[in-house]
Amino acid sequence: MGEVTSFDPSSQAHSNLRDLREMLLYELEEVTAEAGEAPYRARQVMRWLWAHDALSIDAMRDIPVRLREYLKLNFKLGLLKSARVVRSVDGTRKLLLLLDDGAEIESVIIPTVARTTLCISSQAGCAMACRFCATARMGLIRNLQVSEILGQVLAARTKCYEGERLTNYVFMGMGEPLANYPRLSRALTIMTADWGAAISPRRITVSTVGLVPMMKRLMTDFQVNLAVSLHATSDELRDRLAPVNRRYPLAELLDACRRLPLNHRSRITFEYVMLNGVNDSPEDAHRLLRMLAPLKSKVNLISFNPFPGAGFQSSPRKLVEDFQTILLQGNLTATIRESRGQDIAAACGQLYAEGSQE
Ligand code: SAH
């Protein structure tokens, strides 16, 4: 069951100061200049933040005391309070994180043989209202701040086992990342910068329900991988499953996908949740094949993870495999996503802050 970790006494809850972890290098260089210090000090501070995971400004030992005091006066260095860690029998760990205003979010560490993936939330709750998703039932509580997005990475690092290291990052937690683009993009800048967390963008995947204009922005601004939650092969069904389809219908979504600058990211991943008797027939598979034929794509079939009151059932394994076979025979790469952490409600679409269930 969950474990209780201590709160960080140095974090200044509800402070109006800007969080030091939201700063870009050139911004911090301006700050060090204001403080009368050499520009290289900014890089040094960044190293403390992103290479050494400094927990406080005072921990930055080789930063002159004068500059440390200046930073302490002008910035906060917040930490996400990890309320609980829930462990699955399969090694998946769900972190329940408490934000300063009492909102709660979840991040999930998913270890597999080849890699350890962190599933990151971009919003508390979600406004997209997908019918089969537990987070949607919360509605949108609020966008996450940059420091709250990045704080999940830092919190997860502290929950890694001896010798375990996060290798991949997916924005597939709570929320629609592209509905919080300004914060997402700053977080991605800091995650991928050499002066920041120095994570290769190839190891980062942003998953979207299909907010077309922002998809274009993302793929122009960053070299990250894109996953699109498709789930249906007709507008009629997709309107129902993912209501945002009414704003960006399939033809528009697929056309935008075709035009995205892909570079090395040779393929877009299309996620497809298998819902029993809803979208899992051989005809659906054939339609999906035809739809994706003009695209550089691969399909990730996700078994539906049930939650109380969901109103859908997962497709039988045999049907999922038949569906996959049709796609493979049509020369479309198709994988079946193993469901992880189901016993702790940490699987896709099961994230639902527990506090808000009361
Ligand atoms: N809002 C983004 C990212 C969050 S959801 C998006 O829509 O892509 C991550 C993936 O989990 C999406 O493909 C989503 O459709 C899927 N998902 C949601 N609820 C699910 C459920 N109950 N079972 C399985 N997958 C689910």
Side-chain angles (χ1 to χ4, degrees):
M1 272 314 291
E3 77 180 11
V4 177
T5 49
S6 60
F7 280 31
D8 169 37
S10 70
S11 87
Q12 305 167 33
H14 306 298
S15 148
N16 290 324
L17 295 177
R18 184 142 193 215
D19 197 297
L20 192 55
R21 290 202 184 90
E22 304 208 336
M23 298 293 280
L24 304 178
L25 180 63
Y26 83 90
E27 295 170 333
L28 202 54
E29 282 170 350
E30 285 170 13
V31 171
T32 50
E34 276 161 29
E37 299 283 345
Y40 78 89
R41 293 293 184 193
R43 267 187 190 270
Q44 231 177 343
V45 169
M46 287 297 190
R47 238 181 345 264
W48 278 109
L49 292 178
W50 299 112
H52 305 305
D53 296 7
L55 297 180
S56 71
I57 291 168
D58 276 326
M60 304 179 182
R61 279 179 280 103
D62 54 5
I63 303 296
V65 174
R66 230 170 51 98
L67 178 55
R68 275 191 255 160
E69 291 305 321
Y70 188 84
L71 292 176
K72 276 155 64 179
L73 219 57
N74 291 288
F75 296 95
K76 62 179 170 179
L77 192 58
L79 272 186
L80 294 188
K81 297 160 197 80
S82 162
R84 286 200 299 143
V85 181
V86 191
R87 291 164 211 284
S88 160
V89 289
D90 66 17
T92 299
R93 274 148 284 155
K94 180 165 82 168
L95 277 55
L96 192 72
L97 300 165
L98 275 183
L99 309 182
D100 278 351
D101 65 351
E104 291 175 323
I105 52 165
E106 297 175 351
S107 312
V108 188
I109 302 173
I110 310 157
T112 57
V113 180
R115 53 185 175 221
T116 299
T117 301
L118 178 65
C119 182
I120 303 174
S121 294
S122 54
Q123 300 180 310
C126 187
M128 297 297 119
C130 296
R131 284 266 305 280
F132 49 85
C133 178
T135 305
R137 306 281 165 105
M138 299 169 70
L140 178 64
I141 295 169
R142 67 171 172 85
N143 281 322
L144 295 189
Q145 299 292 336
V146 178
S147 60
E148 292 166 338
I149 295 174
L150 295 169
Q152 296 172 65
V153 176
L154 298 171
R157 283 182 186 168
T158 69
K159 303 296 175 197
C160 282
Y161 297 134
E162 189 78 27
E164 188 182 48
R165 221 173 43 85
L166 301 176
T167 59
N168 294 68
Y169 302 81
V170 296
F171 284 86
M172 295 184 186
M174 288 179 163
E176 168 51 45
L178 298 189
N180 189 13
Y181 192 72
R183 275 98 168 209
L184 173 78
S185 81
R186 183 174 273 257
L188 287 175
T189 300
I190 296 170
M191 283 172 82
T192 55
D194 62 341
W195 49 260
I199 297 165
S200 165
R202 296 176 190 218
R203 297 188 168 274
I204 300 175
T205 300
V206 175
S207 179
T208 179
V209 70
L211 304 186
V212 167
M214 287 298 121
M215 279 167 45
K216 295 182 189 158
R217 272 287 289 283
L218 173 77
M219 297 308 267
T220 309
D221 294 350
F222 297 97
Q223 305 278 307
V224 296
N225 303 297
L226 182 70
V228 176
S229 293
L230 195 62
H231 311 319
T233 53
S234 71
D235 279 323
E236 193 218 338
L237 180 59
R238 197 164 190 271
D239 279 353
R240 218 154 43 82
L241 296 179
V244 77
N245 191 66
R246 293 177 203 147
R247 205 155 18 123
Y248 305 111
L250 280 173
E252 192 178 333
L253 175 62
L254 295 169
D255 185 58
C257 288
R258 207 167 24 239
R259 293 161 192 270
L260 288 175
L262 281 180
N263 314 330
H264 75 273
R265 303 157 292 186
S266 49
R267 290 187 285 185
I268 300 171
T269 300
F270 287 93
E271 294 159 284
Y272 194 98
V273 177
M274 298 289 288
L275 302 166
N276 192 23
V278 175
N279 64 355
D280 60 353
S281 71
E283 293 72 41
D284 286 300
H286 286 291
R287 266 199 303 275
L288 188 58
L289 254 185
R290 280 198 298 277
M291 276 173 62
L292 297 185
L295 283 159
K296 286 175 143 186
S297 61
K298 56 187 167 191
V299 172
N300 201 341
L301 300 173
I302 312 175
S303 60
F304 170 67
N305 296 307
F307 55 91
F312 293 99
Q313 264 109 43
S314 53
S315 307
R317 181 78 191 182
K318 171 85 171 67
L319 263 183
V320 179
E321 285 169 2
D322 291 349
F323 199 97
Q324 181 193 31
T325 304
I326 294 173
L327 299 182
L328 292 175
Q329 283 169 351
N331 278 325
L332 186 60
T333 308
T335 50
I336 299 177
R337 185 187 292 172
E338 229 190 302
S339 182
R340 303 288 304 266
Q342 236 194 80
D343 56 331
I344 55 167
C348 296
Q350 290 184 319
L351 300 184
Y352 189 110
E354 295 173 20
S356 49
Q357 277 172 346
E358 288 153 15

